[in-house]
Amino acid sequence: RSILQQKGLKDMDSMGAEFDVEKHEAITQIDAGKKMEGKVVDVMQKGYYLNDKLIRFAKVVVGK
């Protein structure tokens, strides 16, 4: 993992972020109240960047 990080691999921090179809893949939606509406409630699978290029979408649960 450290070798990949040296080459430019970064985790995508999606928890609590606004849902973005360019970076996230919605697995499901759950009721989460007005505060979390349209935001990422849970991350099922992390997304990754390699040298600021998206290489894997984050699989997330979105609040409705």
Side-chain angles (χ1 to χ4, degrees), residues 3 6 8-9 23 25 29 34 36 39-40 49-50 60 62:
I3 292 171
Q6 290 173 2
L9 185 74
K23 299 188 292 187
E25 181 180 343
Q29 291 183 336
K34 288 284 187 189
M36 293 300 287
K39 295 187 178 180
V40 176
Y49 292 106
L50 183 60
V60 298
V62 181

Side-chain angles (χ1 to χ4, degrees), residues 9-64:
L9 185 74
K10 296 179 195 170
D11 296 16
M12 181 188 301
D13 186 27
S14 298
M15 194 65 166
E18 198 70 33
F19 177 73
D20 183 1
V21 296
E22 299 291 325
K23 299 188 292 187
H24 304 121
E25 181 180 343
I27 300 299
T28 190
Q29 291 183 336
I30 61 169
D31 289 325
K34 288 284 187 189
K35 185 177 178 184
M36 293 300 287
E37 187 174 330
K39 295 187 178 180
V40 176
V41 177
D42 194 16
V43 178
M44 302 318 256
Q45 186 177 40
K46 282 186 179 183
Y48 290 97
Y49 292 106
L50 183 60
N51 298 322
D52 297 324
K53 182 179 178 186
L54 183 66
I55 60 170
R56 184 168 85 177
F57 293 98
K59 295 183 181 182
V60 298
V61 176
V62 181
K64 66 174 182 174

